[in-house]
Amino acid sequence: MRTDTTFEIDLTEEQIAFFHDNGFLSIERITTDEEIEWLKGIYNQLFDERAGEEKGLYYDLAAPRGHDGREVLPQVLGPDITIPELRESNHYRNALKLSKQLLGDDEKVRAGGHMIFKPARYGAETPWHQDEAYWSPDVYLNSLSVWMPLDEATVESGCMQFIPGSHKGDLCWHRHIDNDPLIHGLMTDDVDPSKAVACPLAPGGATFHSYRTLHHTAPNTTDNPRRAYILVCSGPEKKRDTPAPRPWSEQEREAMKKAGLDVPLL
Ligand code: NI
């Protein structure tokens, strides 16, 4: 059962300034241990059921669409659409509240979620990328991601790693993992990993990162799963006069059409 205990947190001025300077922020707690236990049950159920696969809401991020081998980085999109109760949690409420503080306290900030699972021992790397590379070319984004592990997240199990200050640069050139446009996962080579800052977290901690911050998680080489629940919080967006180029998305659309895959590209 979901806990009814209210857990409230706030950001300090220093934390807000750190986020704007560095493009990321790590906090020790966004929800309670009790709620994490409740979330684990939902999480496992959604992955067991491959929730929404026929609608393009479940797929392996690091392997070609429709492959039949073992899944190395499965993802569930929109878990709160399947289970609306997720929106009543301390996690959701705190993520939205803190995101408003970071994005400028705009009442129009909205959240949408996804879950990325790195199986024990063979969970794949999420290569260096900026989230913006995946998203709409038609708008100037105004968003951040709140990343929360349900398991101990270490460098070895795949905690978040960031390049400080990278949110102030441009959108980098991205390509598909293995140069295979049937793999949804994107990566950029335009990064100096020696500048990375790793953010290990206990379950129920969280990191925040801007849509343009370069980030990465290593393969899971531990004996434990690494379950992560991500909320993307967005404020009002400004429409671009001309869409930004996203050749990698065009390649993916074409490859999926050629392969006869008719799931939506989400
Ligand atoms: Ni990302």
Side-chain angles (χ1 to χ4, degrees):
M1 281 293 288
R2 184 174 62 85
T3 172
D4 287 327
T5 314
T6 304
F7 176 72
E8 280 193 53
I9 48 170
D10 261 310
L11 292 175
T12 63
E13 289 301 319
E14 287 75 21
Q15 286 174 311
I16 295 171
F18 183 95
F19 177 81
H20 289 305
D21 286 346
N22 293 283
F24 72 95
L25 175 71
S26 182
I27 64 169
E28 276 180 29
R29 275 267 157 211
I30 195 163
T31 187
T32 61
D33 288 343
E34 197 184 355
E35 194 170 271
I36 288 292
E37 289 309 309
W38 172 71
L39 286 170
K40 281 180 184 171
I42 292 175
Y43 196 103
N44 293 347
Q45 181 195 331
L46 291 169
F47 279 86
D48 288 348
E49 292 172 354
R50 307 168 72 93
E53 186 169 24
E54 67 293 347
K55 290 184 263 179
L57 298 175
Y58 175 97
Y59 54 85
D60 194 339
L61 253 176
R65 297 262 186 180
H67 78 99
D68 52 12
R70 72 180 177 185
E71 291 172 315
V72 290
L73 198 62
Q75 161 165 260
V76 167
L77 299 177
D80 56 311
I81 297 167
T82 315
I83 308 199
E85 208 185 349
L86 287 169
R87 298 183 195 138
E88 290 158 31
S89 63
N90 285 305
H91 159 240
Y92 194 93
R93 198 172 44 248
N94 282 328
L96 208 50
K97 177 181 163 186
L98 270 49
S99 294
K100 284 177 183 175
Q101 291 181 289
L102 294 170
L103 291 169
D105 203 20
D106 195 306
E107 283 310 307
K108 293 191 180 116
V109 174
R110 296 288 173 268
H114 60 127
M115 295 168 160
I116 303 180
F117 177 48
K118 248 189 229 294
R121 294 180 290 279
Y122 61 83
E125 174 193 23
T126 310
W128 286 103
H129 68 279
Q130 295 159 305
D131 293 336
E132 184 180 10
Y134 287 97
W135 296 339
S136 173
D138 301 319
V139 294
Y140 294 102
L141 292 165
N142 179 23
S143 67
L144 56 80
S145 295
V146 187
W147 187 96
M148 178 181 73
L150 307 188
D151 305 288
E152 189 76 31
T154 60
V155 170
E156 295 74 24
S157 73
C159 70
M160 287 293 268
Q161 302 193 38
F162 302 104
I163 303 290
S166 52
H167 65 307
K168 293 179 179 167
D170 294 329
L171 175 64
C172 301
W173 181 264
H174 282 68
R175 60 189 179 88
H176 291 273
I177 295 173
D178 295 344
N179 290 319
D180 181 345
L182 284 179
I183 301 180
H184 188 62
L186 296 171
M187 58 184 289
T188 182
D189 302 304
D190 196 5
V191 61
D192 177 0
S194 71
K195 296 206 168 84
V197 174
C199 297
L201 281 173
T207 61
F208 294 73
H209 68 268
S210 148
Y211 62 90
R212 197 169 275 184
T213 307
L214 281 160
H215 57 286
H216 146 94
T217 63
N220 184 0
T221 54
T222 72
D223 291 334
N224 301 311
R226 196 238 54 192
R227 289 166 283 193
Y229 186 2
I230 302 116
L231 287 179
V232 180
C233 297
S234 310
E237 291 158 340
K238 212 174 117 217
K239 191 139 177 60
R240 286 178 184 267
D241 291 335
T242 47
R246 297 275 197 279
W248 45 86
S249 301
E250 296 304 320
Q251 288 164 3
E252 184 172 357
R253 238 171 256 124
E254 262 172 47
M256 284 176 68
K257 207 169 145 193
K258 236 185 204 167
L261 294 165
D262 62 355
V263 288
L265 181 48
L266 299 169

